[in-house]
Structure formats: C-alpha cells, structure tokens
Amino acid sequence: MKRLKIKEVLTNGKTETQTLVKGWVRTKRGSKNVNFIALNDGSTIHNLQVVADVAKFDEQLLHEINTGASLAVEGTLSKSQGSGQNVELLAEKIELLGKADPDKYPIQPKKHTLEFLRENAHLRFRTNTFGAVFRIRHAMAFAIHKYFNKKGFYYLHTPIITASDAEGAGQMFRVSTLDAVNPPLTEEGKPDFSKDFFGRPTNLTVSGQLEGELGALALGEIYTFGPTFRAENSNTTRHLAEFWMIEPEMAFYDLKDNMDLAEEFLKYLISYALEYCSDDLYFLADRLKQEEKGKPQDQRSMDLVEKLQFVLNSSFVRLTYTEAIDILKNSKPFKKNKFQFPVDWGIDLQSEHERYLVEKHFKCPVILTDYPRDIKAFYMKQNDDGKTVRAMDVLFPQIGEIIGGSQREESLEKLETRMKEMNVPAEEMWWYLDTRRFGSVVHSGFGLGFERFILFVTGMGNIRDVIAFPRTPKNAEF
Ligand code: 4AD
Ligand code: MG
C-alpha cells in the first residue's frame, strides 16, 4: 500500500478509505479502552490523530509507543469526533519502526526553551516551532529562485574558495592545506603559501559579488544564492559566521533601479509566505503571542501576520544617510543620551540607530542611501561631493540592516584611485578591473542576508534559530 503524507491526508483524505501513514509520535494519551496518538511526519504543522483500540493491539507494543518513536500506521480514515480536526485514523495495523526511550529522549511533550533546543539542535526539527521555521525557510528559498527566474535573471554559482576579500574588511576564514602548527616557512620566517594547495593564500568567500559582476557584465542580470563566511567576532542575535546570501547583480541598473528591485523582491517573498505558508505563520504568530503574554501592552510586538501584511502594503521610505543622521540627532533618545553609541556624521550606524529610524520614527521599512565613502567598500560608485558613495541599505523593523548594496563604480580610473587609497591590491584583481577596461557599463546590485530575512518572516528573535546548524564563535559542534 502506498504511504500518504499527513498533509495530504488532512487536506484531501477521503473518509472510509484504507490509509497508510508513517511518522513520529508527538504525544500519546489514552484511557483503558483507547489510545490517541498524535503523529507528525514533517509535511505540515498539524498532527494526524491515530485512534488505537487497546483490545486490538499487543500491550507491549502500545507501551512502547512514546513521544519520539516512529510508526507506520494503517487503518480506516474516518470523520473525527473531536474538535480541531476533520479526520482521524482508526488504526488496524501499527508497526513500531523505531523506539524512543522516554527516560532518554530529550524532546518531551512540554514547552522547551529555545536555548535548550539549541543545545539539542540535532533533534529540534521535531518540534512544532522548528518544523514551521524550516518549512518557511524552504518556501522562501524556492520563491527566490522563482522570482528571479520569472524576471530573466540567471543563477550564477560563484566560488566558495577565493583569493580576494570582496568587502575588504579582513574578516576571512583562511583555507589552507599547510600544517597549521608547523607550516613551511619563507626566508623571512612567514608561512610559505607557494607550497599551499593553490600556491597562494585563499579564504572562504565573504560575498559572491565581485564574481557576480563579471557575470552581470555579460549575461545582463544574474543572482547568486550561497553560503558566505565572516570571521567577525560578533556574538549577537543578528550575526552568524556562516550565513546564506542572495546577491543579484544587474547591468544597466542605477541606484534607483536597484532600490526598486530590492523593494519589489522583498514584497514578493512576503506575499509568497502569506499565500503558501499560512499554517506555519499562524502557528508562529500564536507562539509569539504566548511568549509575550506577560509583557505590558505597549512592549508587545505586532501580530506576525499583520506585520507581514503591513510591510507588504507600505512604501519603503527612501532618504540619504545625511538626512538620517539629522533625524537621529534631533531624536528623543539622542537628546536624553539614551543611545549606547554616539551619533555623528561619518559613523557606521548601529542597529539601535537603524531600529529607531524604522520602528520609532518612520514606522515602516527604510532605504538609506549615499553613505560616507570611508565606511563603505572600495567598489561603490562615488558621488560628485567627494564624500559619499551610492550605497543603499534596506532597514527592517525588528532586524535593522537586512540588505546592503550599491551602484558600482564603473570608471576604471576612479576605481583604481580608490583601490590605491584603500590598499586594495589592484594587481591581484586585474580580472575585476578588466570589466571596467572593456565595455564598462553602469551596474548595481545588493546582498540580502537570508537568515535575517527569515528572522523577519518567522518573528523569531535569534538568528541561531533560523538556520539548521548555526556557526557562531566557539560553536560548531554539529
Ligand atoms: O552589507 P554586506 O556586507 O554587503 C555585501 O556583502 C555586498 N557584497 C552585497 C552586494 O552588494 N552584493 O552584507 C549583505 C547582507 C547584510 O545586509 C546582512 O543582511 C547580511 O548580508 N549579513 C549577515 N547576516 C548574518 N550574519 C552576518 N555576519 C552577516 N553579515 C552580513
Ligand atoms: Mg552592510
């Protein structure tokens, strides 16, 4: 008999038909005569209720059906007597596929803290919360490809191992086959990278952008979607050492086109989530409400689904960095010395500043442009004022920076000068500069931090809870 997924059974299952399902036990409760087993197979947030007549089954078998055990159940689907579900499965055959010792299985049917589940990340997929998060994460990855495919963008696979530092921030993980403790040395006593695998120092990529630009300046519009790595020692709820980034890069796009694309793209993903992930979203919305029950009304967050609808229907406010600094300097927290970090023209905005602009001042997503050139990467197009570059950051409620991007410098001369000023090794990047030597054009792109976006959509509070196996300082167990 062919197994049906529980989602299929709950939505399209025909009563009075013979049905086979397989899954993991979430709970079992029962009386002397009948056991009710809630079975989940990951296809949906909802469990299928299996009804087992005690008289029909071996006592030992029923005894071993505990939370976490895996079962195959065959029976007749029937209209449910209970509330909250349309159908239930009247078991005729139960096969215990794998036991789970109730004294040892960590995921018991009670409320576990997210911290506890992080320590048990290998099993946390089996909870409702993480099931919902990872189904939504999957749907968003799919929607990203769907969106770009529809718009004629090509998915370009840029390298994971590179010799260049795209962001120039020096936050790279070295990739080397040299002996880490006793590497071969040069005459000056430094590690001899000519003896390394690639014959030069290499790193895990911090961004696929530079290679993405090469693609865009021939294919027109491309995007990358892959893992990126940053050895920044930031132990925050917004930073990972390994995160996934979506980086579209477009020939003939200026900064305005870039902003328009970013806004349209984000809204497409949000509307996709609302349309295709509603069961999981409603579950997470409810979870958030339960969690914030004790908080005073004005400190509770907006209902998750309402928040997504709100962002979908809002026009993102666009203003320059300079205008934002003025707003911050006239703000209450600034005047009352409530910001932890000082505000002055030239600073790199901290998440408290970004969140003030989005959550308190404008109360909607914001796109900031034209940042000081000294806090941004070498490749951004310089404005005529000699001080700012055509950068754009998209700031979201609850998150702060979710997208970073820019129009790129297309002039060879200006780019070379800037690279010299910023000590970016131009000789090693001859291949990048060739795009400006031969058929250079106006072009732009941006990077969306996938996990930051998933944080926003799921309403989760910690980036470690939206990636399956988080990599953070001192944490790479599994
Ligand atoms: O602003 P960033 O550093 O921009 C770039 O890497 C550009 N090369 C992108 C481009 O123009 N093609 O990073 C882009 C986004 C950030 O806005 C943030 O959402 C995310 O990547 N991000 C991180 N997410 C999680 N953990 C980290 N350590 C992150 N660093 C950046
Ligand atoms: Mg950035």
mmCIF file of all heavy atoms in Angstrom, residues 7 10 45 49 147 230 254 263 279 306 403 467 473 478:
data_model
loop_
_atom_site.group_PDB
_atom_site.id
_atom_site.type_symbol
_atom_site.label_atom_id
_atom_site.label_comp_id
_atom_site.label_asym_id
_atom_site.label_seq_id
_atom_site.Cartn_x
_atom_site.Cartn_y
_atom_site.Cartn_z
ATOM 1 N N LYS A 7 -0.058 15.683 5.479
ATOM 2 C CA LYS A 7 -0.666 16.899 4.924
ATOM 3 C C LYS A 7 -1.766 16.544 3.909
ATOM 4 O O LYS A 7 -2.856 17.119 3.905
ATOM 5 C CB LYS A 7 0.409 17.746 4.248
ATOM 6 C CG LYS A 7 -0.100 19.057 3.699
ATOM 7 C CD LYS A 7 1.027 19.842 3.081
ATOM 8 C CE LYS A 7 0.512 21.171 2.569
ATOM 9 N NZ LYS A 7 1.575 21.967 1.960
ATOM 10 N N LEU A 10 -4.795 15.070 5.697
ATOM 11 C CA LEU A 10 -5.615 16.062 6.395
ATOM 12 C C LEU A 10 -6.360 16.984 5.436
ATOM 13 O O LEU A 10 -7.446 17.465 5.754
ATOM 14 C CB LEU A 10 -4.739 16.899 7.337
ATOM 15 C CG LEU A 10 -4.161 16.154 8.544
ATOM 16 C CD1 LEU A 10 -3.267 17.064 9.358
ATOM 17 C CD2 LEU A 10 -5.270 15.581 9.419
ATOM 18 N N ILE A 45 2.385 21.368 9.921
ATOM 19 C CA ILE A 45 2.421 21.649 11.355
ATOM 20 C C ILE A 45 1.415 20.776 12.102
ATOM 21 O O ILE A 45 1.559 20.493 13.279
ATOM 22 C CB ILE A 45 2.135 23.158 11.592
ATOM 23 C CG1 ILE A 45 2.382 23.570 13.052
ATOM 24 C CG2 ILE A 45 0.717 23.552 11.201
ATOM 25 C CD1 ILE A 45 3.739 24.063 13.321
ATOM 26 N N GLN A 49 -4.432 12.502 14.146
ATOM 27 C CA GLN A 49 -4.790 11.708 15.322
ATOM 28 C C GLN A 49 -5.038 10.257 14.927
ATOM 29 O O GLN A 49 -5.887 9.972 14.087
ATOM 30 C CB GLN A 49 -6.030 12.286 16.008
ATOM 31 C CG GLN A 49 -6.543 11.368 17.100
ATOM 32 C CD GLN A 49 -7.282 12.109 18.181
ATOM 33 O OE1 GLN A 49 -6.700 12.815 18.994
ATOM 34 N NE2 GLN A 49 -8.598 11.968 18.177
ATOM 35 N N TYR A 147 11.191 33.912 -8.305
ATOM 36 C CA TYR A 147 11.141 35.347 -8.613
ATOM 37 C C TYR A 147 12.174 35.704 -9.687
ATOM 38 O O TYR A 147 11.845 36.326 -10.702
ATOM 39 C CB TYR A 147 11.410 36.145 -7.335
ATOM 40 C CG TYR A 147 11.530 37.640 -7.568
ATOM 41 C CD1 TYR A 147 10.395 38.433 -7.710
ATOM 42 C CD2 TYR A 147 12.780 38.249 -7.658
ATOM 43 C CE1 TYR A 147 10.504 39.793 -7.925
ATOM 44 C CE2 TYR A 147 12.899 39.617 -7.874
ATOM 45 C CZ TYR A 147 11.753 40.385 -8.012
ATOM 46 O OH TYR A 147 11.861 41.732 -8.239
ATOM 47 N N ARG A 230 31.986 34.835 7.489
ATOM 48 C CA ARG A 230 32.644 36.010 8.062
ATOM 49 C C ARG A 230 33.178 35.694 9.448
ATOM 50 O O ARG A 230 32.426 35.301 10.330
ATOM 51 C CB ARG A 230 31.692 37.191 8.113
ATOM 52 C CG ARG A 230 31.277 37.551 6.697
ATOM 53 C CD ARG A 230 30.811 38.945 6.514
ATOM 54 N NE ARG A 230 30.357 39.058 5.128
ATOM 55 C CZ ARG A 230 29.716 40.079 4.628
ATOM 56 N NH1 ARG A 230 29.451 41.114 5.406
ATOM 57 N NH2 ARG A 230 29.346 40.095 3.366
ATOM 58 N N ASP A 254 20.825 51.673 -12.320
ATOM 59 C CA ASP A 254 21.423 52.657 -11.419
ATOM 60 C C ASP A 254 20.863 52.439 -10.009
ATOM 61 O O ASP A 254 20.129 51.475 -9.770
ATOM 62 C CB ASP A 254 21.209 54.097 -11.928
ATOM 63 C CG ASP A 254 19.735 54.480 -11.938
ATOM 64 O OD1 ASP A 254 18.899 53.734 -11.363
ATOM 65 O OD2 ASP A 254 19.403 55.529 -12.522
ATOM 66 N N GLU A 263 12.942 46.449 -3.220
ATOM 67 C CA GLU A 263 11.618 46.568 -2.600
ATOM 68 C C GLU A 263 10.625 45.567 -3.208
ATOM 69 O O GLU A 263 9.896 44.885 -2.488
ATOM 70 C CB GLU A 263 11.099 48.023 -2.753
ATOM 71 C CG GLU A 263 9.786 48.236 -2.032
ATOM 72 C CD GLU A 263 9.392 49.710 -1.878
ATOM 73 O OE1 GLU A 263 10.260 50.606 -2.034
ATOM 74 O OE2 GLU A 263 8.210 49.964 -1.602
ATOM 75 N N ASP A 279 -0.370 28.204 7.443
ATOM 76 C CA ASP A 279 -0.494 27.360 8.640
ATOM 77 C C ASP A 279 0.679 27.575 9.586
ATOM 78 O O ASP A 279 0.510 27.732 10.792
ATOM 79 C CB ASP A 279 -0.525 25.875 8.255
ATOM 80 C CG ASP A 279 -1.896 25.450 7.757
ATOM 81 O OD1 ASP A 279 -2.781 26.332 7.657
ATOM 82 O OD2 ASP A 279 -2.071 24.255 7.474
ATOM 83 N N GLU A 306 -0.118 40.245 10.730
ATOM 84 C CA GLU A 306 -0.428 41.672 10.471
ATOM 85 C C GLU A 306 0.826 42.444 10.097
ATOM 86 O O GLU A 306 0.806 43.305 9.229
ATOM 87 C CB GLU A 306 -1.035 42.308 11.725
ATOM 88 C CG GLU A 306 -2.521 42.110 11.847
ATOM 89 C CD GLU A 306 -3.037 42.604 13.200
ATOM 90 O OE1 GLU A 306 -2.483 43.590 13.725
ATOM 91 O OE2 GLU A 306 -3.977 41.976 13.713
ATOM 92 N N ILE A 403 19.425 44.319 3.973
ATOM 93 C CA ILE A 403 20.076 44.333 2.656
ATOM 94 C C ILE A 403 21.162 45.393 2.659
ATOM 95 O O ILE A 403 20.971 46.486 3.209
ATOM 96 C CB ILE A 403 19.050 44.670 1.542
ATOM 97 C CG1 ILE A 403 18.242 43.433 1.135
ATOM 98 C CG2 ILE A 403 19.736 45.265 0.303
ATOM 99 C CD1 ILE A 403 17.250 43.682 0.006
ATOM 100 N N ILE A 467 18.579 28.943 11.171
ATOM 101 C CA ILE A 467 19.497 28.171 10.323
ATOM 102 C C ILE A 467 19.676 26.824 11.024
ATOM 103 O O ILE A 467 19.726 26.757 12.257
ATOM 104 C CB ILE A 467 20.835 28.916 10.105
ATOM 105 C CG1 ILE A 467 21.714 28.153 9.110
ATOM 106 C CG2 ILE A 467 21.587 29.167 11.417
ATOM 107 C CD1 ILE A 467 22.873 28.995 8.545
ATOM 108 N N PRO A 473 30.830 32.140 17.077
ATOM 109 C CA PRO A 473 32.094 31.964 17.791
ATOM 110 C C PRO A 473 31.997 30.850 18.834
ATOM 111 O O PRO A 473 31.030 30.814 19.601
ATOM 112 C CB PRO A 473 32.316 33.327 18.457
ATOM 113 C CG PRO A 473 31.608 34.299 17.563
ATOM 114 C CD PRO A 473 30.427 33.553 17.022
ATOM 115 N N PHE A 478 27.801 20.451 15.645
ATOM 116 C CA PHE A 478 27.271 19.614 14.569
ATOM 117 C C PHE A 478 26.489 20.475 13.616
ATOM 118 O O PHE A 478 26.276 21.649 13.850
ATOM 119 C CB PHE A 478 26.387 18.474 15.098
ATOM 120 C CG PHE A 478 25.439 18.876 16.190
ATOM 121 C CD1 PHE A 478 24.393 19.753 15.952
ATOM 122 C CD2 PHE A 478 25.603 18.404 17.481
ATOM 123 C CE1 PHE A 478 23.518 20.122 16.967
ATOM 124 C CE2 PHE A 478 24.741 18.771 18.494
ATOM 125 C CZ PHE A 478 23.701 19.632 18.252
#
